[in-house]
Amino acid sequence: MEIRTVGVVGAGQMGAGIAQVFAQAGYEVSLFDINAEQVQAALGKIEEGYERLVSKERLDPAEAKAAMARIKVAEVLTDMGPLDLIIEAATEDERIKNKIFAELRPHLGPQTILTTNTSSISITRLASATDRPERFMGFHFMNPVPVMQLVELIRGIATDEETFQLLKGVVEKIGKTAANAEDFPAFIVNRILLPMINEAIYTLYEGVGTVESIDTAMKLGTNHPMGPLELADFIGLDVCLAIMNVLHDGLADTKYRPCPLLVKYVEAGWLGRKTKRGFYDYRGEKPVPTR
């Protein structure tokens, strides 16, 4: 089997980035979101992304135009059924993901491979609710997708070897590097990254340092390009909390308990950059620490 057509479900930051890299690599891409305005916003972001690459002479203008033309908007989710590969990139909520797969199920082609961009939820459990657990995998891209080189490939207990090898080839074709992860809560990257961010929030909560001093210490002391609190705002504090809850519930270890301050920020609707407030306030010309 050769994968030629790709469906991306969810046109947020991750979905838009995934659509961009696949279209640039020559795949025919279908993009769907329940919010039509979100799809149009995603198309604008993708076009801007191609324009940046052209301005840096990393992409030919004709190639950018051709890539943009390869992205089509799916009017309804079920239009994606016959495609070769479907990548679910909806919000990090298992109920929503299961609802998407259930709606797609009667419309899927026999060859269609289902994948999820989940950053933490059990692949085996998601696969078991579909009609093709052997053709189901975790396909976890990093944010921002066009820039980050890694893709985590996560097999569920039923995923067959052919599916794994096909997707490994796809990762190579889009110019990225695959890392194989076992199906444990949060896989590799977030199993390591999110507890570090959570610990930084505890450090703030306990008064060990301010937002500014914690981020400065980690940037200059460990050579991280972004401080952990700045990074949390970039990821989205609701996403950080969801992943910490998956770790805490799935591994039953108190070291993964989400910091109460993280919970409080999410309850306040201060989710980071996307809501203009998190550990920093982004409503002015420069981000200002909120604590």
Side-chain angles (χ1 to χ4, degrees), residues 29-126:
V29 176
S30 183
L31 182 62
F32 173 80
D33 196 286
I34 197 165
N35 182 345
E37 290 180 6
Q38 185 74 48
V39 176
Q40 293 308 311
L43 293 173
K45 287 177 188 173
I46 293 167
E47 194 163 20
E48 286 173 13
Y50 288 146
E51 286 170 359
R52 276 195 300 274
L53 292 173
V54 168
S55 69
K56 294 176 182 177
E57 299 184 345
R58 291 170 57 191
L59 188 65
D60 184 82
E63 290 175 346
K65 187 177 180 182
M68 200 69 209
R70 282 191 286 271
I71 302 173
K72 303 291 189 294
V73 176
E75 296 299 323
V76 292
L77 176 62
T78 52
D79 286 348
M80 293 190 170
L83 303 180
D84 298 328
L85 170 64
I86 296 174
I87 304 167
E88 173 274 311
T91 189
E92 191 70 352
D93 184 318
E94 189 167 347
R95 292 167 300 176
I96 291 171
K97 294 178 188 298
N98 282 331
K99 187 178 177 184
I100 288 166
F101 296 132
E103 191 174 339
L104 281 168
R105 183 173 182 165
H107 305 276
L108 295 174
Q111 86 292 349
T112 303
I113 294 174
L114 288 178
T115 66
T116 175
N117 185 55
T118 181
S119 52
S120 59
I121 299 168
S122 166
I123 303 305
T124 298
R125 195 165 65 238
L126 288 172

Side-chain angles (χ1 to χ4, degrees), residues 3 29 35 45 87 125-126 128 137 164 178 202 222 231 234:
I3 292 171
V29 176
N35 182 345
K45 287 177 188 173
I87 304 167
R125 195 165 65 238
L126 288 172
S128 70
M137 270 193 70
F164 173 73
Y202 266 114
T222 62
L231 180 56
F234 181 76

Side-chain angles (χ1 to χ4, degrees), residues 65-289:
K65 187 177 180 182
M68 200 69 209
R70 282 191 286 271
I71 302 173
K72 303 291 189 294
V73 176
E75 296 299 323
V76 292
L77 176 62
T78 52
D79 286 348
M80 293 190 170
L83 303 180
D84 298 328
L85 170 64
I86 296 174
I87 304 167
E88 173 274 311
T91 189
E92 191 70 352
D93 184 318
E94 189 167 347
R95 292 167 300 176
I96 291 171
K97 294 178 188 298
N98 282 331
K99 187 178 177 184
I100 288 166
F101 296 132
E103 191 174 339
L104 281 168
R105 183 173 182 165
H107 305 276
L108 295 174
Q111 86 292 349
T112 303
I113 294 174
L114 288 178
T115 66
T116 175
N117 185 55
T118 181
S119 52
S120 59
I121 299 168
S122 166
I123 303 305
T124 298
R125 195 165 65 238
L126 288 172
S128 70
T130 74
D131 66 338
R132 58 196 65 214
E134 71 286 348
R135 298 176 73 76
F136 188 101
M137 270 193 70
F139 208 32
H140 182 217
F141 289 80
M142 305 296 121
N143 187 25
V145 179
V147 175
M148 303 296 278
Q149 289 301 302
L150 182 72
V151 180
E152 283 183 316
L153 291 181
I154 309 104
R155 281 178 275 203
I157 196 169
T159 306
D160 64 27
E161 185 64 20
E162 182 188 6
T163 299
F164 173 73
Q165 292 300 333
L166 269 170
L167 291 183
K168 192 175 178 185
V170 169
V171 173
E172 290 173 7
K173 187 172 177 182
I174 62 175
K176 297 195 182 293
T177 300
N180 306 336
E182 294 301 317
D183 188 18
F184 283 88
F187 319 129
I188 296 172
V189 172
N190 285 324
R191 171 78 177 263
I192 297 167
L193 176 64
L194 264 298
M196 184 201 77
I197 288 174
N198 195 52
E199 193 62 30
I201 300 169
Y202 266 114
T203 305
L204 176 66
Y205 178 60
E206 293 167 4
V208 180
T210 63
V211 168
E212 198 167 28
S213 64
I214 291 165
D215 277 351
T216 299
M218 292 303 289
K219 283 191 283 190
L220 301 184
T222 62
N223 210 26
H224 289 191
M226 295 172 75
L229 302 175
E230 183 185 2
L231 180 56
D233 277 356
F234 181 76
I235 293 168
L237 302 191
D238 53 337
V239 176
C240 292
L241 179 58
I243 295 170
M244 287 309 302
N245 280 329
V246 167
L247 281 166
H248 191 230
D249 294 344
L251 298 170
D253 193 322
T254 55
K255 73 180 180 181
Y256 298 114
R257 183 172 71 99
C259 179
L261 184 60
L262 173 60
V263 175
K264 195 169 290 293
Y265 268 64
V266 172
E267 288 175 344
W270 291 19
L271 309 181
R273 286 179 178 268
K274 60 188 172 187
T275 59
K276 304 294 184 186
R277 277 194 290 188
F279 292 110
Y280 292 86
D281 189 326
Y282 300 92
R283 294 173 297 175
E285 287 184 18
K286 278 182 63 179
V288 178

